[in-house]
């Protein structure tokens, strides 16, 4: 098995080349060996780049307090939470950042509200399309319903 430094070198090379899926896999292997914030941040970034937001938020939550200390880390964590529709958690970290009087958290509340509105609209449209697909299914025999 490769050493932690070799894994991190390979992962960083993959990330620099834009091979985020490979980088995420390598960072995850390294993180299983050593749970540090530096590796966690690289893993979370790689997972976000591959749009694996739920997994990224799970890993980020392990170092939540650290993610709330700088604007860059906070914005990464907030972006991941919003992309995975974790709006309550997003509100919680915004309030925590505002209570810490972080100047960079001022626009975050509006980001959360906007993302919630967009998700609500998107989900309503999805539900409407799904309902249309199932409309009048009962009018047909079961065998014909599967053909629809």
């Amino acid at each position: 098995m490769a050493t932690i430094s070799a894994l991190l070198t390979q992962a960083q090379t993959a990330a620099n080349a834009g091979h985020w899926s490979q980088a995420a896999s390598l960072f995850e292997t390294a993180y299983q060996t050593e749970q540090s914030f530096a590796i966690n941040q690289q893993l979370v970034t790689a997972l976000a780049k591959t749009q694996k937001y739920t997994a990224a938020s799970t890993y980020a939550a392990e170092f939540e307090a650290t993610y709330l200390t700088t604007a860059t880390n906070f914005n990464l964590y907030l972006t991941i939470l919003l992309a995975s529709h974790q709006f309550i958690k997003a509100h919680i970290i915004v309030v925590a950042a505002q209570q810490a009087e972080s100047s960079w958290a001022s626009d975050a509340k509006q980001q959360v509200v906007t993302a919630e509105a967009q998700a609500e609209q998107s989900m309503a449209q999805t539900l409407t399309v799904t309902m249309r697909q199932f409309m009048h299914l009962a009018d047909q025999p079961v065998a014909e319903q599967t053909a629809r």
Side-chain angles (χ1 to χ4, degrees):
M1 177 155 177
T3 65
I4 187 85
S5 60
L7 280 171
L8 291 174
T9 301
Q10 290 173 351
Q12 195 58 52
T13 301
N16 291 341
H19 303 288
W20 291 107
S21 184
Q22 179 185 9
S25 178
L26 291 166
F27 282 128
E28 190 167 27
T29 303
Y31 187 70
Q32 289 171 357
T33 303
E34 179 185 320
Q35 289 83 32
S36 69
F37 176 70
I39 298 172
N40 178 284
Q41 185 181 32
Q42 292 174 313
L43 172 58
V44 167
T45 300
L47 288 169
K49 294 285 187 178
T50 58
Q51 299 181 355
K52 295 180 180 172
Y53 300 113
T54 303
S57 70
T58 301
Y59 283 113
E62 294 177 12
F63 285 93
E64 183 172 274
T66 309
Y67 277 98
L68 301 181
T69 59
T70 67
T72 303
N73 292 337
F74 174 81
N75 286 329
L76 174 62
Y77 192 27
L78 182 62
T79 299
I80 289 165
L81 290 174
L82 295 178
S84 60
H85 296 180
Q86 297 180 50
F87 301 117
I88 293 172
K89 185 69 174 173
H91 279 289
I92 290 170
I93 70 162
V94 167
V95 169
Q98 289 173 338
Q99 287 175 346
E101 298 180 15
S102 304
S103 60
W104 38 263
S106 60
D107 296 333
K109 178 76 171 169
Q110 186 56 45
Q111 281 181 277
V112 175
V113 170
T114 301
E116 281 180 312
Q118 289 172 344
E120 187 176 316
Q121 182 180 11
S122 173
M123 287 179 194
Q125 290 171 349
T126 301
L127 182 58
T128 301
V129 169
T130 303
M131 288 174 59
R132 283 186 190 146
Q133 290 173 346
F134 287 102
M135 199 176 256
H136 305 296
L137 263 183
D139 296 344
Q140 302 294 322
V142 174
E144 289 183 29
Q145 289 178 19
T146 58
R148 283 184 143 190

